[in-house]
């Protein structure tokens, strides 16, 4: 048994520490892998962002394997576990924005130090800048235009975002009203959120905003609206978000964080741009028929 264990250890390659090396190894070894491991390898190569942001349970479901298969897959490549392999995929994102993410990592390491209010403010500024640059570099122009056109076409825009996402939906309701576009803020006062959105029709639009951990009310309102044929625009943080399924248009926003505090700067900037772009399309008559 000991000899067999030693042989298995000899068969395990050195685990790659950068994404390009890992991708090359997966492509090279996939033909010789057992069926399920080859399935995971193909998924990881084809959908690296899904591996970056997903949980073990969700990735396993998407790849069509058991969660234990992901652990076995990672160990076959020389990693201690799946989270260690996932770190390589996350490092791929850091390589896109090295300056700001490296600075944020330094901030996290020194989190226990006494910095003072002004230094902490500077840390949050750095976090906000990282979020803004990340969103600018990843947001698809076509998706942004599609979302703005959907808002411009809508007779009424229903906006729902609870907890951390509430400031975004509240701002959009304010901005759209000031820009002359009909908007309803689904604020869930008196637990009437579902009823507030019930008047939405196929001529309208529901903008649903939610981030991990996702708010059940927002997901329920989006699903109910989609079931009635109401277009849904989702602003969320992962391709595994429960808002993906009911949405016709999805904008993914992965905000940087400082400790447990996630920035909203990228999402709010996106909200401002969408409102102004939609109003401009409407002004030029490019939103289509918006009559009831």
């Amino acid at each position: 048994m000991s000899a067999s264990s030693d042989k298995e250890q000899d068969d395990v390659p050195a685990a790659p520490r950068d994404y390009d090396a890992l991708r090359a190894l997966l492509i090279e070894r996939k033909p010789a892998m057992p069926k399920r491991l080859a399935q995971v390898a193909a998924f990881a190569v084809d959908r690296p962002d899904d591996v970056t942001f997903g949980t073990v349970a969700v990735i396993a479901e998407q790849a069509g394997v058991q969660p234990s298969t992901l652990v076995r897959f990672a160990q076959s490549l020389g990693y201690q576990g799946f989270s260690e392999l996932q770190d390589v995929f996350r490092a791929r994102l850091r390589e896109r924005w090295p300056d700001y993410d490296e600075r944020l990592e330094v901030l996290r390491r020194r989190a226990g130090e006494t910095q003072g209010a002004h230094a902490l403010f500077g840390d949050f500024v750095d976090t906000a800048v990282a979020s803004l640059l990340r969103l600018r570099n990843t947001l698809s122009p076509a998706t942004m235009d599609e979302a703005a056109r959907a808002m411009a076409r809508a007779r009424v825009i229903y906006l729902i975002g609870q907890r951390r996402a509430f400031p975004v939906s509240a701002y959009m309701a304010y901005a759209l009203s000031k820009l002359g576009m009909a908007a309803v803020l689904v604020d869930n006062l008196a637990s009437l959120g579902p009823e507030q959105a019930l008047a939405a029709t196929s001529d309208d639009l529901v903008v649903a905003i939610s981030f991990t951990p996702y708010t059940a009310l927002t997901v329920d309102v989006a699903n109910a609206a989609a079931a009635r044929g109401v277009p849904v625009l989702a602003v969320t943080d992962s391709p595994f978000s429960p808002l993906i399924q009911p949405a016709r248009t999805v904008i993914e926003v992965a905000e940087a964080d400082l400790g447990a505090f996630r920035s909203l700067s990228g999402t709010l900037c996106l909200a401002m741009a969408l409102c102004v772009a939609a109003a401009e399309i409407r002004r030029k008559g490019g939103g289509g028929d918006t009559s009831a």
Side-chain angles (χ1 to χ4, degrees):
M1 186 172 181
S2 177
S4 173
S5 178
D6 290 343
K7 186 179 185 303
E8 288 177 4
Q9 285 292 101
D10 292 340
D11 290 340
V12 175
R17 295 300 166 185
D18 67 86
Y19 173 75
D20 289 338
L22 174 56
R23 186 176 185 276
L25 178 64
L26 293 178
I27 293 172
E28 176 189 346
R29 297 191 69 217
K30 179 180 173 291
M33 285 181 173
K35 180 181 177 181
R36 293 303 182 193
L37 299 190
Q39 199 169 318
V40 177
F43 180 86
V45 170
D46 293 341
R47 297 168 62 177
D49 288 345
D50 293 350
V51 177
T52 300
F53 295 111
T55 64
V56 169
V58 173
I59 295 171
E61 181 179 351
Q62 292 289 321
V65 299
Q66 295 296 318
S68 59
T69 303
L70 296 184
V71 177
R72 187 156 55 91
F73 172 75
Q75 291 174 343
S76 74
L77 297 171
Y79 299 99
Q80 294 296 314
F82 186 75
S83 61
E84 187 180 359
L85 179 147
Q86 200 172 32
D87 285 342
V88 177
F89 284 84
R90 289 170 177 163
R92 166 177 164 268
L93 287 185
R94 290 196 292 272
E95 289 166 5
R96 296 179 186 175
W97 310 279
D99 293 340
Y100 292 97
D101 277 356
E102 286 175 6
R103 290 171 70 180
L104 288 175
E105 184 60 32
V106 171
L107 293 176
R108 293 187 187 98
R109 285 198 297 265
R110 69 177 197 182
E113 299 177 9
T114 302
Q115 302 177 52
H118 188 268
L120 185 60
F121 169 71
D123 293 348
F124 277 112
V125 168
D126 288 339
T127 306
V129 170
S131 282
L132 290 166
L133 289 179
R134 176 176 298 174
L135 184 58
R136 185 183 68 178
N137 291 334
T138 59
L139 182 59
S140 162
T143 300
M144 185 79 173
D145 289 343
E146 180 184 350
R149 286 194 300 269
M151 290 174 62
R153 284 193 301 267
R155 182 190 61 174
V156 179
I157 299 172
Y158 290 78
L159 301 139
I160 180 165
Q162 295 290 292
R163 297 199 305 241
R164 174 173 164 264
F166 182 77
V168 184
S169 60
Y171 170 79
M172 292 183 75
Y174 167 81
L176 289 169
S177 297
K178 287 293 186 181
L179 290 166
M181 298 179 67
V184 173
L185 177 62
V186 180
D187 55 20
N188 199 39
L189 283 177
S191 299
L192 289 173
E195 288 79 4
Q196 288 174 315
L198 200 56
T201 72
S202 59
D203 294 323
D204 303 320
L205 177 72
V206 169
V207 178
I209 309 164
S210 190
F211 310 105
T212 307
Y214 306 103
T215 308
L217 174 67
T218 302
V219 176
D220 290 344
V221 167
N223 283 327
R228 299 197 310 274
V230 182
V232 175
L233 165 61
V235 178
T236 191
D237 59 353
S238 167
F240 302 107
S241 166
L243 288 177
I244 298 293
Q245 185 171 358
R248 294 190 186 178
T249 306
V250 178
I251 298 180
E252 291 181 28
V253 183
E255 297 272 15
D257 69 276
L258 183 66
F261 297 94
R262 284 173 289 173
S263 173
L264 270 177
S265 56
T267 312
L268 284 168
C269 190
L270 170 70
M272 294 170 68
L274 283 175
C275 291
V276 173
E280 185 65 8
I281 293 171
R282 175 79 68 87
R283 185 185 70 80
K284 293 179 178 178
D289 183 8
T290 58
S291 60

